[in-house]
Amino acid sequence: MNKIKKWNQALLVGLMAATLAACGGTEEKGTAKAEQKVDVIHWKMVTTWPKNLPGMGTGAEALAKNIKEMSNGRLDIKVYAAGELVPALEVFDAVSRGTAQMGHGSAYYWKGKVAAAQFFSTVPFGFNAQEFNAWIAYGGGLELWEDIYAPFNLIPMVAGNAGVQMGGWFNKEINSLEDFKGLKMRMPGLGGEVLKKVGASPINLPGSEVFTALQTGTIDATEWVGPYNDLAFGLYKAAKYYYYPGWHEPGSAVEVIFNKDAFAALPKDLQAIARAAVKQANLDMINEFTARNNDALQTLVNEHNVILKPFPRDLLEALKKASAETLEEVAANDPNSQKVYESFKNFMAPVSEWHDVSERAYINARADD
Amino acid sequence: MNKIKKWNQALLVGLMAATLAACGGTEEKGTAKAEQKVDVIHWKMVTTWPKNLPGMGTGAEALAKNIKEMSNGRLDIKVYAAGELVPALEVFDAVSRGTAQMGHGSAYYWKGKVAAAQFFSTVPFGFNAQEFNAWIAYGGGLELWEDIYAPFNLIPMVAGNAGVQMGGWFNKEINSLEDFKGLKMRMPGLGGEVLKKVGASPINLPGSEVFTALQTGTIDATEWVGPYNDLAFGLYKAAKYYYYPGWHEPGSAVEVIFNKDAFAALPKDLQAIARAAVKQANLDMINEFTARNNDALQTLVNEHNVILKPFPRDLLEALKKASAETLEEVAANDPNSQKVYESFKNFMAPVSEWHDVSERAYINARADD
């Protein structure tokens, strides 16, 4: 949950006045337009992000803008940053009851309410972005997600992905699994559960306290996102070892939720527009993170003298084993989680096999080492 | 060029009657609809694919269907398989002169006309799908592509990706670079140029002749696509060694081209709809290949006793070096290719560095070996 607080504490909380103008002012030469009396549908989209948070907040704004353009102004969606209309953690409920027609966030925020939801953001040693999207579209993922959200009067869709994240910031070198014993690391959620199993001490801190805690030694390490966001957050000033890969979040998906009644009331063309715009947003976001992360990484390494290191192999093996155990436990405690976990495993095994001979074999062949 | 013939020879050339009904028959409850007198814009989309070729041909049909739904029937696009309206290799010219308003194919088909075009499909040891999309969106790729197609009155967009392909079918084991010396392998395009440099003999055969040539020993090996398409083509009956990875086509992109005047004449909302629908198609296609390839691979290995093998490391190193030389030569011969190659390199270096610590490190950590 602290993930949200961390976003709230992030850089760009300055408010931008909502600039979505009411429809009707645009000049169009479309043949149909001239004879058309447009009824504008006004919607609200509540989000879990600070205004214009790079990638996530900006993605929500772009989504609304694209839907407006595609609908020729007929579907006009005002975007609210976390706290503007409802607090971040109330986005799910607000859309469920229709206070807003759309929400933009990430599914694992709702795990207290819907345990299985966390499978629809990212899980330790789970899917990367490409695999997650394929599971949703062709592996039965979307149908399960829809079933699980249906009792809440919600329709979920994938609206973005931040890709493989970084392993985190450490104030000492990690040379083996032994160095994780007793390590105080800030990590919420499933990753924290996994840490416990390998002997570390996961600490759950709000984002606002992370920097100081790391700088003063209250914690030894923290996870965050990836270079694009981490650079902006300034963590390189508090710890100099930057480890990879982000085993705990290998493909963090962003979700859009629609109030089911509101969506059903849309004309079919606007429904199709909304669906396509969300897919466009999904592709746009991973493109942005893929393109932007390395620039930030170079700045961290070359200008801020961050030491970039891979986790040792024995540690990764232990984390992998502990991750599988953690997922088994989550599944055992909740029938919906069990169903989703089965689907996850049924897609993970074959897609991993395929990616071993395609993506993995290729990316290893391409590398110089 | 033979790539097209190979598609033409493929399985599903049976014609499906064009079922795109004229607009106006759909019942909509949309508020705007009742007062709207819809002027339907009728377009033609010519493609380089056999009707309903899995992934590619079906992708073109889905794209037209989605645009029709999103536009409430205002943009009605009839899709033509290769040869129905124009032959596959005339798609570029047909859209350029406005015979059709849209085309669906792959950019390297036009390399005889526009040498730089092949950078916008896939190049040996180049981008995977995720990297290609990011280069197009954030690395200056799209702007260059648009510049290069502008003199032909065309606007290009990415409409799909088949992902990392397989290395091909061989009638003998490949244990080292030595085994490629004198090897007669069917491989068109840049991959063929690379083969020459490592001592193999690239053979340029139309798809219709590949199976027999491989079975009779006229050729020792052939590349094709990936398991999803290769299984259907039956190549396992002609050779039993199936090698990976597809170093020559690590992320084969599908393109859509629009006639510039036709696109400009669309109302802004239909332009936005077309753009979003193409991005949706892009995401949908990689999802389909990601999800489908492993099932086909399992069938090949378990039911048809295909022997799945990785290329030896020394061979891959030699192919990588030869690929870089080949790209340098292509660039040296053509100013546009030079410009695109510079942009390609300027994005490849950082995105590879980033993916080394994210995608690559993660996918290796996840694997059991």
Side-chain angles (χ1 to χ4, degrees):
Chain A
M1 295 304 178
N2 288 347
K3 205 84 179 186
I4 293 174
K5 286 197 184 150
K6 105 185 169 189
W7 292 120
N8 283 341
Q9 302 296 341
L11 341 157
L12 302 175
V13 196
L15 294 179
M16 188 184 81
T19 53
L20 296 178
C23 165
T26 49
E27 284 283 316
E28 297 289 344
K29 282 183 293 190
T31 48
K33 187 70 198 313
E35 302 144 40
Q36 197 177 331
K37 206 192 269 174
V38 174
D39 285 341
V40 178
I41 300 168
H42 290 281
W43 270 17
K44 297 182 177 80
M45 187 199 302
V46 288
T47 78
T48 60
W49 321 114
K51 201 83 178 175
N52 285 331
L53 181 76
M56 283 75 172
T58 54
E61 297 279 358
L63 173 57
K65 184 171 165 286
N66 288 335
I67 289 174
K68 189 175 175 186
E69 276 179 20
M70 285 151 81
S71 68
N72 196 18
R74 287 189 296 141
L75 183 51
D76 193 351
I77 304 167
K78 180 163 177 175
V79 180
Y80 294 86
E84 284 190 336
L85 190 65
V86 299
L89 284 181
E90 287 174 26
V91 162
F92 189 91
D93 288 339
V95 181
S96 176
R97 68 175 176 260
T99 302
Q101 292 77 21
M102 270 177 90
H104 194 281
S106 189
Y108 72 130
Y109 294 157
W110 328 125
K111 67 176 180 171
K113 201 175 298 279
V114 192
Q118 52 198 336
F119 284 95
F120 298 99
S121 52
T122 186
V123 298
F125 285 93
F127 300 127
N128 71 5
Q130 188 165 314
E131 294 162 347
F132 179 80
N133 285 329
W135 174 57
I136 290 294
Y138 285 91
L142 183 60
E143 292 76 7
L144 282 167
W145 200 8
E146 287 175 343
D147 285 353
I148 286 163
Y149 278 26
F152 300 94
N153 203 37
L154 293 172
I155 299 171
M157 297 180 195
V158 194
N161 204 297
V164 176
Q165 305 208 350
M166 286 294 287
W169 297 88
F170 294 75
N171 64 13
K172 63 168 190 175
E173 272 194 61
I174 302 297
N175 294 312
S176 76
L177 172 58
E178 276 310 302
D179 293 327
F180 253 50
K181 306 287 184 202
L183 184 89
K184 287 172 287 174
M185 182 166 189
R186 186 265 183 190
M187 187 178 287
L190 286 171
E193 297 304 309
V194 175
L195 282 190
K196 272 187 219 163
K197 288 184 189 286
V198 301
S201 302
I203 312 281
N204 214 342
L205 281 181
S208 57
E209 296 172 25
V210 167
F211 184 90
T212 306
L214 186 59
Q215 201 170 38
T216 58
T218 305
I219 55 175
D220 307 309
T222 187
E223 61 83 47
W224 201 247
V225 187
Y228 186 37
N229 293 98
D230 290 14
L231 171 63
F233 198 58
L235 286 165
Y236 59 89
K237 294 175 200 156
K240 68 173 180 177
Y241 296 100
Y242 197 27
Y243 274 87
Y244 64 88
W247 56 273
H248 62 302
E249 297 198 8
S252 303
V254 165
E255 76 170 9
V256 149
I257 44 179
F258 291 89
N259 177 279
K260 214 171 176 174
D261 302 322
F263 193 83
L266 288 180
K268 288 254 180 316
D269 58 337
L270 292 187
Q271 289 183 356
I273 282 173
R275 287 185 189 283
V278 172
K279 283 195 183 174
Q280 177 177 28
N282 189 3
L283 186 62
D284 287 347
M285 193 181 295
I286 187 68
N287 286 348
E288 183 177 356
F289 278 98
T290 302
R292 296 285 180 249
N293 268 320
N294 197 61
D295 286 350
L297 185 63
Q298 296 310 312
T299 303
L300 288 168
V301 171
N302 298 326
E303 293 178 28
H304 302 304
N305 303 313
V306 161
I307 299 167
L308 184 66
K309 303 208 76 159
F311 284 124
R313 187 76 207 178
D314 70 332
L315 172 63
L316 287 170
E317 288 301 328
L319 291 167
K320 183 163 64 168
K321 188 165 163 287
S323 295
E325 290 168 12
T326 302
L327 295 183
E328 294 285 346
E329 288 163 14
V330 169
N333 284 327
D334 169 56
N336 273 339
S337 295
Q338 185 70 51
K339 252 192 278 183
V340 180
Y341 181 51
E342 289 302 320
S343 171
F344 166 89
K345 282 193 293 185
N346 288 340
F347 197 78
M348 179 54 95
V351 85
S352 296
E353 279 180 23
W354 165 238
H355 276 173
D356 274 352
V357 302
S358 56
E359 293 284 339
R360 183 181 173 219
Y362 173 67
I363 208 164
N364 283 330
R366 189 178 69 183
D368 288 326
D369 52 358
Chain B
M1 295 302 177
N2 288 346
K3 205 84 180 188
I4 293 174
K5 286 197 184 151
K6 104 185 172 189
W7 293 119
N8 283 339
Q9 302 294 341
L11 342 156
L12 301 174
V13 196
L15 293 181
M16 187 183 80
T19 53
L20 296 178
C23 164
T26 50
E27 285 283 317
E28 297 289 344
K29 280 183 295 190
T31 49
K33 187 69 197 312
E35 303 145 38
Q36 197 177 331
K37 207 193 267 174
V38 174
D39 285 340
V40 179
I41 300 168
H42 290 281
W43 271 17
K44 297 182 177 79
M45 186 199 305
V46 288
T47 79
T48 61
W49 322 113
K51 201 85 179 173
N52 285 330
L53 180 75
M56 282 75 173
T58 53
E61 298 279 357
L63 173 57
K65 183 170 165 288
N66 287 335
I67 289 175
K68 189 174 175 185
E69 275 179 22
M70 284 151 79
S71 67
N72 196 18
R74 288 188 297 140
L75 183 51
D76 192 350
I77 304 168
K78 180 164 178 176
V79 180
Y80 295 87
E84 283 189 336
L85 189 66
V86 298
L89 284 182
E90 287 174 26
V91 162
F92 189 91
D93 289 338
V95 181
S96 176
R97 68 175 176 260
T99 303
Q101 292 78 20
M102 271 177 90
H104 193 281
S106 189
Y108 72 128
Y109 294 158
W110 328 124
K111 66 175 180 172
K113 202 177 298 279
V114 193
Q118 52 199 336
F119 284 95
F120 298 99
S121 51
T122 186
V123 298
F125 285 94
F127 300 126
N128 70 5
Q130 189 165 311
E131 294 163 347
F132 179 79
N133 285 330
W135 174 57
I136 290 294
Y138 284 92
L142 183 61
E143 293 75 7
L144 283 167
W145 199 8
E146 287 175 342
D147 285 352
I148 286 163
Y149 278 26
F152 300 93
N153 202 37
L154 293 172
I155 299 171
M157 297 178 195
V158 194
N161 203 298
V164 176
Q165 305 207 349
M166 286 294 288
W169 297 87
F170 294 75
N171 64 15
K172 64 168 189 176
E173 273 194 60
I174 302 297
N175 294 312
S176 77
L177 173 58
E178 276 310 300
D179 293 327
F180 254 50
K181 306 288 183 203
L183 184 90
K184 287 172 287 176
M185 181 166 190
R186 187 266 184 190
M187 187 178 286
L190 285 171
E193 297 303 310
V194 176
L195 282 190
K196 274 186 217 162
K197 287 184 189 288
V198 301
S201 301
I203 311 281
N204 213 342
L205 282 180
S208 57
E209 297 171 25
V210 166
F211 184 90
T212 307
L214 187 59
Q215 200 171 40
T216 58
T218 304
I219 56 175
D220 308 309
T222 187
E223 62 83 46
W224 201 247
V225 187
Y228 186 36
N229 293 99
D230 291 13
L231 171 64
F233 198 60
L235 285 165
Y236 60 89
K237 294 175 199 155
K240 69 173 179 177
Y241 296 101
Y242 197 27
Y243 274 87
Y244 63 87
W247 56 273
H248 63 302
E249 297 198 9
S252 303
V254 165
E255 76 170 8
V256 148
I257 44 178
F258 291 90
N259 178 279
K260 213 169 176 177
D261 301 322
F263 193 83
L266 289 179
K268 288 254 179 320
D269 59 336
L270 292 187
Q271 289 182 357
I273 282 173
R275 287 185 190 282
V278 171
K279 283 194 183 174
Q280 176 177 29
N282 189 4
L283 186 62
D284 287 348
M285 193 180 294
I286 187 68
N287 285 348
E288 183 177 356
F289 278 98
T290 302
R292 296 286 180 248
N293 267 320
N294 196 61
D295 286 350
L297 185 64
Q298 297 308 313
T299 303
L300 287 168
V301 170
N302 298 326
E303 292 178 27
H304 302 303
N305 303 312
V306 162
I307 299 167
L308 184 66
K309 302 209 75 158
F311 283 125
R313 187 76 204 177
D314 69 333
L315 172 63
L316 287 170
E317 287 300 328
L319 291 168
K320 183 163 63 167
K321 189 165 161 287
S323 295
E325 290 168 11
T326 302
L327 294 183
E328 293 286 346
E329 288 163 12
V330 168
N333 284 327
D334 169 55
N336 272 340
S337 295
Q338 185 69 52
K339 252 191 279 184
V340 181
Y341 182 51
E342 288 302 320
S343 171
F344 166 89
K345 281 192 296 185
N346 287 341
F347 197 79
M348 178 55 93
V351 85
S352 297
E353 280 179 23
W354 165 239
H355 276 172
D356 274 353
V357 302
S358 56
E359 293 284 339
R360 182 181 173 219
Y362 173 66
I363 208 163
N364 282 330
R366 188 178 71 183
D368 288 326
D369 53 358

